[in-house]
Amino acid sequence: YSELNELKDKLEKILKGKLKGCLVISTATGKPRGARVKLFRELLGFEIGARTEALRNVVDSYILPGSEDIDDEVVKLIKTLGKGGLVFVPVSKGLEYAQALNEKLRQAGIRSEVVHAKKKSALDRFVSGEVDVLVGVAVYYGLLVRGLDLPHIVKYAVFAGVPHFKFSLNLEEAGPFRLLQFAFNIRPALEGYEQSQLDRLVGKIRRVIYDLDAASVQILTEALKEGKELEGRLEYVRKNLVKLKHLLIQELSKKDVVKRLEEKTMLVIRTEEGQQYIYVPDTMTYLQASGRTSRLYAGGLSKGLSVVVVDDEGLFNKLVRQSRWYSDEIEWVNFNDLDVEKLMKEINKEREFIAKLIRGEIKPAEVEDLVKTALVIVESPTKARTIASFFGKPSRRSYGVLNVYETSTGRYVILTVATKGHIIDLSESGGFYGVEVSDGVFIPVYKTLKRCLRCGEQFTDEHDECPVCGSKEIFDQGQTIESLRELAREVDLIFLATDPDTEGEKIAWDTFNVLSPYVKSLRRIEFHEVTRKAIENAIKSPRSVFLPLVEAQIVRRIADRWIGFSLSKKLWDAFNLKFLSAGRVQTPVLGWIIQRYEEARKGYRVIFTIVLDDGKTIRLEVEGPLKKRPSKIKKEIAEKGVEIEYLGEEEETVSPPPPFTTDTMLREASRNLRTGVAEVMKLAQDLFELGLITYHRTDSTRVSDVGIKVAREYITENFGKEYFEGRVWGAGGAHECIRPTRPIDAETLLELIRQGIFQPATPLTRNHIRLYDLIFRRFMASQMKPAKIVKTQIRVKALTEDEPIVREFPWIKTATEEGFLKVYRIFAMTEPPSPGLHKVKEISHRRFPLLPLYTQADIIKLMKERGIGRPSTYAKILDTLLKRKYVIESGGKLVPTKLGKKVYEYLSQNYKDLVVEERTRYLEEKMDKVERGEENYLDVLKEFYQEIKKIEGGS
Ligand SMILES: [Zn+2]
């Protein structure tokens, strides 16, 4: 061991101070690993990173079948588009068809040639300009699909027919990727055990196969075909592929499976010469092949054109749908709607420019729009990974204490890093609780934030050990700042991409201040959904840090600190308990909970649940005090029965509720998921950072154009045009409702994750999916037609020995028009019990307080109604009360503790003016004004200061 350490020291000495260069290795496949990588990392001191690009700037167009046949259509197209074209024929038609099509092109005077593995020389002639158009087969590992990187030559791609896989129901011949593709496509038609078996096999195969290089894939494919055994990892995959094949063959022999296939999946089934074939759109190949027209060069990402000459509309529709799973960018346009002349002019001009660059006739330095390096700073590692993943597989390296994800957007090479929350915070010592006050001027004093790695406690003063748990493992954000500064020197500019609210603005501002001496340009970018498009748009229109938002956050923080510290001190003195603490906003909320608890105890009510002879259940509520014991009443009703009378029937139109805002989401989700609001907020934060929903701290119900498009797409595809009714809901502004970012429902999302098409930066739990489902349904409902329901007004008479218990209420029977209820059920619908006397099958009762105790959902509703708390604080306020044990949760209801009651009593007796609801509301409004730039934050601070001084003086 000591010998090893000696060697290590020696090596470090050698490596130290030596200027390293950057070694670039470019390959179409493969990942950095193995002994060679170790050599570079350990002995030569290189940091290894690898990345793949997934960028495209392609106009995706199509031509629907018309009077001309496919070949003639292709010839016509190429005559219009000119040289620099690639023509792809479907793999099922093969080389023969490619050759025939090539012949037709040549007869029409086009200089075209077929390219395939044994005839690569055509490529040279394409490069040298002897050949204008190449024809090849659309297959994923094909030469024309993957190997071509000629940004100065390739302008467009034409698909002579929808790229697809074709299988006869005989699967014996299928290669590994086809088997996987096929497994994916038929999965929804399988059920139960077979489906989970399929999932297991696919999982095992995928884990290995995508790391294989092309040569290994070739070996695997052949072995699979010939039934030959291999070794090691390859054999492991081969064995599982064989199992998968057998499973598929077995399932496809079942009639019901075949039937479900056409109805539910991405396949179309076509009969040719009496034989059934399955067609699956080959989206991966389409994206790869059309991507040849759009390449990275020193000036950015070139633009290309792709045209699918459609031979089968059913198959094409499925290609369109599937392409959206891979990318939310793709917008299909009819070729006839394009201004082709203008587009080709633009493309041609760019190609000439690239050619000049390549020939060295333009020096990169002369290019205005040269690719720049940008550092994108966010607050959370998940968000950083999500952003980086939009532009390909990012390369990851460590830089000081930071993980840096490197990708390219075409215009920028972007390095994405996370600060992991705030970097600085108010000092705990000095000044007036961290703020220097002199002559009415307030100077907050900030220190780097420290975090205990064991218990998570955060503090700013220097401690050798954590003040809570005593651990010595403390992380200082000062290290983050140091690493950011070093990284800042490497880049041309910085984008501050923290969350779009006051807290995010404050982090951006702090980061701006610590980094501005180290880089020329620092810009704030704001986006309300983490999608590639939203980020690209934000990068196109960066702004400065908006100071009123920062000031509002500064005021909020100082106000919390002041009132928290000074009231806590009073509490310590009064109760002789050092852990007590108090805050302004939670005190009135604590008061509501206590008050409701007191009121609830003043009386009770009894609910009888009665199951009638026809199986219908009714609930009757009786307010106490009861004249007889409930068990006696129960017995009497059971003996005498229940009379039902219909008082009339009416149809009612029910409109969908608006999409979620923070408060409505918290209410619904805490009820549905049976979990606290703090947990819901955490789940929502994850969904936002993973790019699945828009920003979840919002009080706007507004739906943007993007949102309406997402809804239209989903509703039209799943229910039909007539169900869609776009609604904007709230008023303008940057903020938006909480909604899904893509037209992908929870079920499809799970499927995409299972298949590895969507790879979330952190794993999703069951509750994540349930919350997503809720947000998705609520949003889709808000964009759908109203429902028409039929209600029967019924009178229920429960007979007893003296007076019967009589209640009247509407019973929702059915919907004559389902409308939004298709996705979002807000009530049950059943036939009411028939009129007349019913016997009782079962009867039970339960006693409840007169008024129901508050749930977390109720409190959120009250806060919203009474103007206390904001989207960013709703959950925090409740969480604080629970954490301090002022309130506990019992059976989903909030119950004040003895301690809670004492603290509240003390505060409201001694500091009523400070903690009363009106005062709190007044101050919240003040802070809103600071946020909007309508009020000077120093004036507001002064007001707080005088108020606090009164407490301090009154001790
Ligand atoms: Zn600790």
Side-chain angles (χ1 to χ4, degrees), residues 33 119 257 386 390 409 469 647 700 808 846 851 933 942:
R33 67 164 143 253
K119 198 181 160 221
V257 172
T386 304
F390 290 143
T409 68
C469 75
L647 302 175
S700 172
E808 283 173 21
R846 268 190 78 184
L851 285 170
K942 200 177 285 170

Side-chain angles (χ1 to χ4, degrees), residues 511-525:
T511 315
F512 178 92
N513 285 325
V514 299
L515 295 185
S516 59
Y518 297 85
V519 67
K520 255 188 267 162
S521 170
L522 272 139
R523 308 285 283 156
R524 168 85 166 113
I525 57 171

Side-chain angles (χ1 to χ4, degrees), residues 439-458:
D439 296 333
V441 177
F442 300 95
I443 305 164
V445 180
Y446 288 100
K447 284 186 181 161
T448 57
L449 195 65
K450 284 105 187 157
R451 190 179 305 120
C452 167
L453 293 176
R454 193 202 287 168
C455 75
E457 175 73 8
Q458 300 201 37

Side-chain angles (χ1 to χ4, degrees), residues 661-680:
T661 48
T662 306
D663 60 306
T664 51
M665 175 192 73
L666 288 177
R667 271 152 55 189
E668 287 295 303
S670 68
R671 243 196 318 259
N672 270 278
L673 274 59
R674 291 172 189 280
T675 177
V677 291
E679 173 66 13
V680 175

Side-chain angles (χ1 to χ4, degrees), residues 416-458:
T416 312
V417 294
T419 61
K420 297 189 183 162
H422 285 279
I423 49 173
I424 59 172
D425 194 9
L426 280 183
S427 166
E428 281 142 24
S429 51
F432 183 62
Y433 301 127
V435 183
E436 297 283 355
V437 186
S438 66
D439 296 333
V441 177
F442 300 95
I443 305 164
V445 180
Y446 288 100
K447 284 186 181 161
T448 57
L449 195 65
K450 284 105 187 157
R451 190 179 305 120
C452 167
L453 293 176
R454 193 202 287 168
C455 75
E457 175 73 8
Q458 300 201 37

Side-chain angles (χ1 to χ4, degrees), residues 86-88 115 123 134-137 142-148 289 292:
L86 305 177
V87 178
F88 294 97
V115 76
L123 269 179
L134 290 178
V135 184
V137 177
L143 204 57
L144 225 45
V145 172
R146 283 181 75 91
L148 218 56
R292 300 300 107 193

